[in-house]
Amino acid sequence: MFGLKKEDKQPQDSGPEMRVDTIPADFYGGANPVIKFKKVEKEVDLTPKKPVLTSAEKALLDKATAAGSGQPLHPANLLSSRKGLLILGGGLFVLFLIGAGVYYWLTSKPLAPAAPPPPVVSVQTPPITVTETEVTPPPTTTEAVIPIPVSLAETPLEYPDLLLADSADTDNDDLTNVAEELWRTDSLSPDTDGDGYNDGHEVYNLYNPIGKEPQKIIDSGLVTDYTNPVFGYKIYYPNTWAVGNVDPGYRDVLFSTLTGENIEVRVFDRETGQGFADWFAKWAPNEQYNDLLDLDSVFQDKGYRRKDYLVFYFYNDQNVFVIAYHTTDSATVNYRSVIKMLARSFRLPQNLGIENLAPRPIEGERPVEATTTVSL
């Protein structure tokens, strides 16, 4: 103004620009300021938000989650539809028809005839005699299914099997190894006493198998002479065996070993006029009469034997005497030599007066040295 010209001021170059930061007053003098934070409470909603479905979506969801979904034969579907009810009713009707058919088939089968009652056997009891009054009541009739034998004489005899074989015989002298111990002979030597006679042959002919000189077996200490007190027969048996009476009448006597094997001597009564063949047919129906072979005892009593030497028969006018071998459950025989010796030593009652009777010589037997004396 007034002619004066204003001069433009030009910025002066002050050099490079510098930034200056200042330290807050709280840090001056090595101070450690306390920083305080402000607590702000905020509520957060964690509840899941349910989706909002349309009516069509809700219908599809209900159908997918319903009971029996996708299963046409499910009970819920069968009971909730007409088609399902028809199928269920038809199935029950078919089951009913099947059950009714089975029931009528079972009830229409004829019943098996009832088994006839067992036959009743009438047994007539013998008259009972009272000693004091001599009164004999009339016979009475009782009913029984199985008749009971009145005495032991009516009990059938048990016969040994025809297929029984001997136990081991190492030296093949007709004495088993078990019997060798009984006769005190050597099971490895067929002639224990070295006298030229087989051990089994000597026992069969009632000689001592361990004596150097000819000696009867009754004098050897190996056997005992038994006499039946009722029927009067006599017979040798090993003195280490036991003797037992099956009945008090001495009709059945057993000569037994400790192992259970035994030899039975049984006495049967003969009927008047009954021959041995008739008796045999009655009491030995399963045995073969034509297979019996003659046998003479050493004391000249005639009899019969079965071909296996396990059954022997002697008889007189009143009785039949049977000598039979019985094993245990084993199928082998240990003492066939013993029953041979018993049978060869058997004496009927009428021969009990014969004393010092020496064995009768047979082929291959020792010569007889004793004399025969008969006392009546």
Side-chain angles (χ1 to χ4, degrees), residues 204 295 305-312 336 339-340:
Y204 180 79
L295 174 89
R305 69 171 177 87
R306 207 168 73 171
K307 59 184 180 180
D308 59 356
Y309 286 95
L310 293 181
V311 183
F312 298 84
R336 200 185 302 261
I339 191 172
K340 290 180 181 180

Side-chain angles (χ1 to χ4, degrees), residues 71-111:
Q71 303 178 23
L73 299 181
H74 193 276
N77 294 330
L78 293 177
L79 297 176
S80 60
S81 64
R82 182 177 180 183
K83 182 178 179 181
L85 291 175
L86 291 176
I87 294 174
L88 181 61
L92 294 176
F93 181 74
V94 171
L95 292 177
F96 172 78
L97 291 179
I98 294 174
V102 172
Y103 172 78
Y104 284 108
W105 178 75
L106 293 175
T107 56
S108 63
K109 294 178 64 177
L111 297 177

Side-chain angles (χ1 to χ4, degrees), residues 42 87 108 184 225 228 235 296 331 358 366:
K42 183 178 180 180
I87 294 174
S108 63
R184 304 177 193 172
D225 196 7
N228 186 285
I235 196 170
D296 292 347
R366 290 175 170 180

Side-chain angles (χ1 to χ4, degrees), residues 269-283 289 304 315-317 319-320:
D269 295 331
R270 287 181 61 186
E271 301 174 5
T272 303
Q274 183 185 47
F276 176 77
D278 296 331
W279 176 92
F280 188 89
K282 177 180 179 180
W283 293 102
Y289 180 77
Y304 300 100
Y315 62 93
N316 56 19
D317 293 338
N319 304 108
V320 175

Side-chain angles (χ1 to χ4, degrees), residues 212-233:
K212 292 295 183 181
E213 298 298 331
Q215 182 185 42
K216 291 184 293 185
I217 198 170
I218 191 60
D219 299 325
S220 65
L222 298 174
V223 301
T224 301
D225 196 7
Y226 169 82
T227 302
N228 186 285
V230 175
F231 296 95
Y233 65 82

